[in-house]
Amino acid sequence: MAGGRVFPVWRGIGASSSISWSQEWSRCLKWEFDSRDGGPRIPVFDYPIWFVFCRGGRARIREVYQRGRGAIRLPTDIFDIHQVPKVFREDGIISGYRHPRSSALDCILSSFQMNNETINIWTHFLPTWWASPLFIKSTLKDVLRTWRYFLWRFFLLGSTMDFLSDSYAWPLLVYMLLICVYPFTSCCAHIFSTMSPESRHICYFFDYGALSLYSLGCAISYGFYVMPDCWVNSWIQQHFIPIAIGNSLLCTSMSCYSRFVELQFPQRSKALRTGAFVVPFLFDTVPLFYRVLLSCWGSCSLGEALSNHCYHLLFAFLTCFLFTAHLPERLAPGRFDYFGHSHQLFHVSAVVGTHFQMEGVLADMSSRRQWLQTHGLAPSFLSTFGALVLSFVLNLGIIAVFSALLLWKPRPSCGQQHAPTCGCKEQ
């Protein structure tokens, strides 16, 4: 390539009809010197980049980021599957692995470098609908508006509701806090998971803990807003949140333990981890399933709230399928290393499902407020924030126990523990 041209791009929407495809395709992303101080080269994105899924596309992407890494001094390298220890390997992902002994700064900078975790990071840092095909030309305003989606909705609700004195809004407050926490925790886990094998496990321990707390937030909001009329004030509602706390502890324990048997028994590990999240989901959605069945039998109408809940259930089942099936990368190993593998789709599906769940909870909260305040149990500080704090402390204790067991384990051999540059062959 000549004159600093790095990667061919097409102008796309708004392209002049007088310019042929080949002419547009010849337009390239350039690295230009900063005119103010003659410092390091910086990238200039004049047009959206349409990444190419074709023969030689991976080599072109690698060339782009090798040049870009030198231009903005990204310190991380990219490795193939046979160059990293087994603990870092993913099914069907052949290339794009980061250095398994990265520093914290390297991990942060790697989120701006194309690797097989980049989209995983950004699909939870930008928790909203991720359009396809992917392109790079989002304005700064669009990016800021996107990544703050759940936070923006949270603060918008805070400006219209009295969260401090209105106890009816407390379950919503807990729920909104947790749907902001779990994508951010997942993002951090994916960023810092390559500092060492131990840090990888610990990062995902916290990821699992955040997801289990999210399941508790769902139970708290469902217990007070989504419960069927005939179950209000029943034994189920009175014990719904205590059981959900137990489910959150079970979820964290099972999912953390699954990482200890991941290398020796991968199928058992996957079954444990899947079951750890399916059990709280099924329990939390029992009231919702009952209301959907009543609607199907004609006892009540399918309103706005149930419509959103049904969309949430659809995306929840899709999320579970993507998590367990490892499609499409299982069918074409190496083809979806950077874009389109199941974990990226899993993140998108989970976030979209959470969006519909949030809309359903808000619709139920507003439409059923008068009836629930008259006939239902009033939310208390103990049943909302008290349950959250108790579950948080207990889950943190579980994570601390598993982390201690991990750090006190005998260290594996050099080939499994160290980076590919240690000079040892993996055993």
Side-chain angles (χ1 to χ4, degrees):
M1 293 186 182
R5 293 181 180 272
V6 179
F7 193 75
V9 298
W10 174 54
R11 187 184 300 177
I13 299 174
S16 172
S17 59
S18 62
I19 301 178
S20 66
W21 168 271
S22 59
Q23 289 174 315
E24 285 294 352
W25 185 251
S26 66
R27 298 189 63 88
C28 293
L29 176 67
K30 299 180 180 179
W31 301 91
E32 298 181 356
F33 283 106
D34 188 340
S35 59
R36 292 174 299 178
D37 55 7
R41 298 188 176 197
I42 58 174
V44 179
F45 296 89
D46 289 331
Y47 301 99
I49 299 175
W50 292 75
F51 291 105
V52 187
F53 291 96
C54 62
R55 184 177 301 174
R58 186 191 306 172
R60 292 190 179 189
I61 291 175
R62 183 170 295 179
E63 181 182 1
V64 171
Y65 282 93
Q66 287 297 327
R67 290 178 180 246
R69 185 177 65 86
I72 58 178
R73 305 185 188 281
L74 290 178
T76 52
D77 295 317
I78 300 299
F79 299 94
D80 291 331
I81 189 171
H82 64 276
Q83 297 176 293
V84 297
K86 288 183 179 180
V87 68
F88 294 94
R89 298 177 185 178
E90 301 290 344
D91 292 340
I93 306 299
I94 306 302
S95 62
Y97 291 93
R98 296 176 292 173
H99 197 289
R101 286 289 181 179
S102 303
S103 67
L105 179 60
D106 289 345
C107 290
I108 294 173
L109 292 176
S110 71
S111 62
F112 301 96
Q113 180 188 29
M114 186 50 59
N115 53 70
N116 58 32
E117 287 280 17
T118 304
I119 306 300
N120 290 337
I121 293 169
W122 289 98
T123 47
H124 264 176
F125 189 71
L126 310 175
T128 189
W129 196 292
W130 193 275
S132 179
L134 294 171
F135 63 94
I136 296 179
K137 191 195 175 177
S138 294
T139 63
L140 180 60
K141 185 194 300 182
D142 292 335
V143 171
L144 292 175
R145 183 170 61 243
T146 302
W147 82 265
R148 296 182 307 190
Y149 177 68
F150 288 141
L151 271 178
W152 171 73
R153 290 300 302 270
F154 180 37
F155 288 124
L156 184 64
L157 290 170
S159 64
T160 58
M161 296 182 180
D162 187 3
F163 282 126
L164 293 178
S165 58
D166 184 8
S167 63
Y168 182 75
W170 288 351
L172 178 66
L173 177 58
V174 171
Y175 171 76
M176 293 299 296
L177 283 171
L178 294 175
I179 67 171
C180 294
V181 166
Y182 94 80
F184 180 74
T185 306
S186 174
C187 172
C188 292
H190 282 285
I191 289 176
F192 297 107
S193 62
T194 55
M195 293 181 66
S196 69
E198 294 83 6
S199 70
R200 180 180 180 84
H201 292 305
I202 293 173
C203 282
Y204 287 117
F205 289 167
F206 280 98
D207 188 17
Y208 303 149
L211 287 171
S212 69
L213 288 178
Y214 162 67
S215 73
L216 174 64
C218 296
I220 292 174
S221 61
Y222 281 20
F224 287 106
Y225 302 141
V226 183
M227 197 68 64
D229 294 349
C230 58
W231 289 6
V232 171
N233 288 320
S234 67
W235 183 92
I236 295 177
Q237 187 183 30
Q238 293 171 1
H239 296 84
F240 197 71
I241 294 175
I243 296 175
I245 295 175
N247 284 337
S248 73
L249 302 179
L250 176 67
C251 173
T252 304
S253 301
M254 288 179 61
S255 54
C256 290
Y257 173 73
S258 70
R259 300 201 69 86
F260 283 80
V261 298
E262 189 172 30
L263 294 181
Q264 295 86 353
F265 308 101
Q267 298 300 325
R268 183 188 302 178
S269 173
K270 178 63 80 171
L272 283 171
R273 200 171 304 164
T274 303
F277 297 110
V278 168
V279 169
F281 168 77
L282 291 177
F283 175 80
D284 292 348
T285 52
V286 165
L288 183 55
F289 282 131
Y290 186 79
R291 284 182 60 187
V292 172
L293 289 176
L294 288 179
S295 176
C296 294
W297 290 338
S299 299
C300 59
S301 60
L302 186 66
E304 177 188 358
L306 276 183
S307 297
N308 282 302
H309 286 309
C310 287
Y311 283 123
H312 162 242
L313 291 176
L314 175 65
F315 279 99
F317 287 122
L318 177 60
T319 300
C320 183
F321 170 77
L322 292 169
F323 179 75
T324 56
H326 290 284
L327 295 175
E329 68 271 14
R330 175 179 287 181
L331 300 177
R335 278 290 184 181
F336 302 94
D337 292 352
Y338 295 93
F339 306 102
H341 61 74
S342 61
H343 204 89
Q344 298 169 2
L345 303 177
F346 157 76
H347 277 196
V348 175
S349 179
V351 167
V352 175
T354 303
H355 161 74
F356 284 114
Q357 181 188 51
M358 177 185 65
E359 296 297 336
V361 169
L362 290 172
D364 269 330
M365 177 191 177
S366 59
S367 63
R368 305 180 70 200
R369 178 174 187 134
Q370 184 175 359
W371 190 91
L372 288 173
Q373 286 184 317
T374 303
H375 300 90
L377 297 173
S380 66
F381 187 87
L382 184 62
S383 62
T384 53
F385 298 105
L388 174 61
V389 171
L390 176 62
S391 184
F392 174 79
V393 171
L394 293 177
N395 276 283
L396 198 61
I398 292 172
I399 293 172
V401 169
F402 278 102
S403 299
L405 292 174
L406 177 71
L407 295 175
W408 289 341
K409 282 180 60 178
R411 290 185 176 271
S413 60
C414 185
Q416 292 180 333
Q417 178 75 10
H418 294 284
T421 55
C422 72
C424 302
K425 294 183 179 180
E426 184 178 357
Q427 297 179 354

